[in-house]
Amino acid sequence: MISTPDIIITIAYILFIVTIGLWAGAGKKKKKTTSSKDYFLAGKTLRWPMIGLALFATNISCLHLVSLAQSGFDTGLLNGNFEWMAVFVLILLALFFIPFYIRSGVSTLPDFLERRYNKACRDWLALISIISAIIIHIAFSFLAGGIVLETLFGVNMYTSIIVIAALTGLYTIIGGLKAVVVTESIQSIVLITGAVIITFFAWHKVGSWDNMTEVLKQNNSLDKLSMLRPVGDPSGMSWLAVFLGYPVLGIWYWCADQTIVQRALGARDENHARAGALFCGFIKILPVFIFVVPGLLAYVLYHSNALDLSSLQQTGVNGDTTLNTKGIYTLMITQLVPPGLVGILVAALLSGLMSQIAGALNSIATLTSYDLYKRIKPQTSDKKLVQAGRWSAGIALVFSICLLPLLNQYQSLFEGINDVIAHIAPPVTCVFLLGIFWEKASAISAQYTLWLGSALGAAVYVVNKLFPESVLGSVPFMMMAFYLFAVCVLMQVTLSYIFPVKHTGQSGKLYWKSFWEPLQSKGWSGIGNYKILSIILLLILTVLYFIFR
């Protein structure tokens, strides 16, 4: 439980964000009508700093703060690979994907797939994108937020979730993307500030790097400092699994998921979109140090008797005592941070929760309006489109809350969310990659790859859960993502030769003629040039991986 001043700070922050969101969304109300471009894409006025911060805020939720700290305690720096590998994928987004999205003038990624392939691909991706947004971006975030708020305030998890859902939905549904991005920019700063505060206090308590390594050595846990594990590592996250499996998950998440890419689609031009994505890449270097490391420090403090985790102990059926490490982050807040600052930390957690939910709701509203409702009623007015989007966002909120009991069965929330992604991503990653890099990728091949690949992923997921001791159940989810992707690539390539491509005037312009073609764009001059920024990022990541190998 936290003190009254911290509760006041928390409530004040929530009211502040809701007010800012409503104010930002009301800016366009001065017009007589609400343009759908204004509502869904912020009128294509976003600049690179706001895009980068919004991308980061939509990605980093309360789930990440809670689950990355949990993974830091359980496995050390290992899951930090999800953060640093994302930087490589953001470079791919900036160099190869954004130019097509901006130049084609699409409002949604399913719209892009229709122009490159056909309507069936658009419909399927829209459906998959809505489902994934509800499960991955909203429901899992609600679950993490509910656990935190129940631990800190003693409020029933579902009660706190419903209140946060109502407040976030209020400014998101009314204000559209402009309200989402403005609030996300603020929340990114608050979230990072909060994470830095708890990292500082945890590090201060540990004392020094030598103290930390000494405790790890005493507990035979020095491998917790390694990002790259050998093949066959019990974690299932060997260096091979990371470098083969993550790109499959990451390209879907960062380059082909409407919830994420929508921030870039709202850019004022291609250069701002590219710079925004790369700016987010620089920010993504931080989570390892301010989200994962605190969990590792908590492990050190626990084994130094400087952190009391008795409230997390659970007794199993056979009488064994285990730690439910989902609550590590909240215990660190209450035990390491002085009163007054606790409220800021809770505000940071709520920032992550509200920003991701807001981004997902706006994405669902956009997909439903443009890719479903307008397809049924092509002559729909902008006003009707906005109304349809608002209704769909509200329904999505309710449905996501209903999924919480099912998703709460995962021992690790972070592994749970990536396990789901590993079975959704392969066919989508496949059709996007082949679509923009291979001239011969045909519409029929993409259509059947999406259908059959999604069915295969769902079937494998069900088998894994029903028969965890089976051959399939023993395959780490990262390698499973790669295997499913390989099957999808083989499927699409084979089908493309059976059903040869017949390019339209539109689709013939939506693939790169060579790997170097997208790099011919001049971009901004100076250090802000997308090529220079990409090289700097690659160099930084190379050095970091060498240090923490």
Side-chain angles (χ1 to χ4, degrees), residues 58 73 92 183 206 448 460 463 479 493:
T58 302
F73 186 95
L92 293 180
T183 53
V206 168
Y448 281 99
V460 169
V463 170
M479 289 306 298
V493 170

Side-chain angles (χ1 to χ4, degrees), residues 423 450-462 483-484 487-488 491:
H423 295 82
L450 284 173
W451 289 353
L452 298 177
S454 297
L456 178 63
V460 169
Y461 182 83
V462 171
Y483 295 146
L484 289 171
V487 170
C488 289
M491 188 187 309

Side-chain angles (χ1 to χ4, degrees), residues 95-404:
L95 297 186
F96 303 111
F97 288 87
I98 279 177
F100 274 145
Y101 297 157
I102 299 297
R103 293 173 195 176
S104 60
V106 297
S107 298
T108 67
L109 297 188
D111 186 11
F112 175 79
L113 274 199
E114 179 179 4
R115 299 183 188 203
R116 176 58 180 89
Y117 293 121
N118 60 21
K119 291 182 179 180
C121 292
R122 175 179 185 164
D123 293 341
W124 190 254
L125 182 63
L127 181 63
I128 291 296
S129 298
I130 291 172
I131 293 172
S132 64
I134 291 173
I135 298 173
I136 294 168
H137 294 292
I138 301 179
F140 268 110
S141 293
F142 271 149
L143 185 57
I147 291 171
V148 168
L149 294 173
E150 188 172 39
T151 305
L152 289 173
F153 296 99
V155 180
N156 177 271
M157 183 172 76
Y158 290 96
T159 301
S160 59
I161 284 173
I162 290 171
V163 172
I164 293 297
L167 292 173
T168 307
L170 177 65
Y171 72 79
T172 304
I173 293 171
I174 291 176
L177 184 62
K178 187 72 173 181
V180 171
V181 173
V182 169
T183 53
E184 282 179 339
S185 299
I186 298 170
Q187 288 168 322
S188 288
I189 296 169
V190 174
L191 188 148
I192 293 171
T193 302
V196 169
I197 288 173
I198 199 163
T199 304
F200 170 79
F201 281 102
W203 180 257
H204 180 73
K205 192 84 170 179
V206 168
S208 68
W209 181 268
D210 289 339
N211 289 348
M212 181 176 71
T213 54
E214 181 61 30
V215 173
L216 293 176
K217 185 185 296 183
Q218 291 172 3
N219 290 274
N220 297 316
S221 299
L222 277 176
D223 62 334
K224 288 181 178 288
L225 293 175
S226 174
M227 296 280 284
L228 303 177
R229 304 287 176 86
V231 175
D233 188 78
S235 66
M237 288 271 290
S238 68
W239 68 268
L240 185 65
V242 169
F243 284 94
L244 289 179
Y246 182 81
V248 180
L249 279 65
I251 290 174
W252 169 78
Y253 186 89
W254 289 102
C255 304
D257 180 29
Q258 180 69 27
T259 301
I260 296 294
V261 180
Q262 188 159 339
R263 280 101 201 91
L265 296 181
R268 62 183 303 169
D269 58 41
E270 185 178 308
N271 284 324
H272 277 281
R274 279 178 150 173
L278 294 172
F279 178 43
C280 180
F282 282 98
I283 306 175
K284 285 293 285 181
I285 294 171
L286 293 177
V288 171
F289 301 107
I290 61 176
F291 298 158
V292 183
V293 166
L296 178 59
L297 296 176
Y299 176 88
V300 172
L301 292 172
Y302 171 61
H303 286 279
S304 304
N305 297 316
L307 192 66
D308 180 14
L309 302 185
S310 58
S311 62
L312 300 183
Q313 291 181 346
Q314 294 181 335
T315 303
V317 179
N318 56 1
D320 293 338
T321 301
T322 58
L323 281 176
N324 179 7
T325 53
K326 289 180 183 177
I328 284 292
Y329 200 80
T330 50
L331 273 188
M332 291 177 69
I333 291 175
T334 55
Q335 294 187 30
L336 300 180
V337 180
L341 287 178
V342 171
I344 297 176
L345 266 295
V346 178
L349 287 167
L350 291 176
S351 291
L353 173 63
M354 295 170 73
S355 63
Q356 185 159 69
I357 292 168
L361 288 177
N362 188 253
S363 170
I364 291 168
T366 307
L367 290 165
T368 303
S369 299
Y370 278 111
D371 295 294
L372 298 178
Y373 193 79
K374 195 169 185 178
R375 290 287 299 281
I376 299 171
K377 298 183 177 181
Q379 304 304 318
T380 301
S381 65
D382 274 6
K383 183 178 179 180
K384 288 286 186 182
L385 276 180
V386 171
Q387 288 177 350
R390 286 171 173 163
W391 273 104
S392 65
I395 293 170
L397 269 181
V398 175
F399 187 65
S400 64
I401 293 174
C402 295
L403 291 173
L404 297 182

Side-chain angles (χ1 to χ4, degrees), residues 384-540:
K384 288 286 186 182
L385 276 180
V386 171
Q387 288 177 350
R390 286 171 173 163
W391 273 104
S392 65
I395 293 170
L397 269 181
V398 175
F399 187 65
S400 64
I401 293 174
C402 295
L403 291 173
L404 297 182
L406 177 65
L407 300 180
N408 197 28
Q409 295 178 22
Y410 278 105
Q411 185 64 29
S412 167
L413 297 180
F414 196 72
E415 288 187 10
I417 194 172
N418 283 294
D419 186 26
V420 173
I421 293 174
H423 295 82
I424 291 176
V428 180
T429 296
C430 174
V431 298
F432 268 85
L433 277 179
L434 292 184
I436 71 167
F437 285 115
W438 192 39
E439 176 185 1
K440 295 181 179 180
S442 68
I444 294 296
S445 73
Q447 179 180 328
Y448 281 99
T449 298
L450 284 173
W451 289 353
L452 298 177
S454 297
L456 178 63
V460 169
Y461 182 83
V462 171
V463 170
N464 286 347
K465 296 298 167 280
L466 294 179
F467 308 101
E469 303 301 323
S470 65
V471 175
L472 285 178
S474 63
V475 178
F477 69 86
M478 292 286 271
M479 289 306 298
M480 182 59 73
F482 175 72
Y483 295 146
L484 289 171
F485 173 72
V487 170
C488 289
V489 170
L490 179 62
M491 188 187 309
Q492 187 171 3
V493 170
T494 302
L495 289 172
S496 290
Y497 282 106
I498 297 173
F499 303 100
V501 66
K502 296 178 181 178
H503 278 297
T504 63
Q506 205 168 46
S507 69
K509 299 176 182 178
L510 293 180
Y511 63 86
W512 297 117
K513 307 303 184 290
S514 73
F515 184 81
W516 303 108
E517 185 184 355
L519 304 180
Q520 293 173 3
S521 174
K522 185 178 179 182
W524 288 332
S525 59
I527 197 171
N529 184 274
Y530 69 94
K531 298 175 189 176
I532 295 176
L533 292 174
S534 299
I535 292 172
I536 293 173
L537 273 176
L538 288 173
L539 290 174
I540 292 174

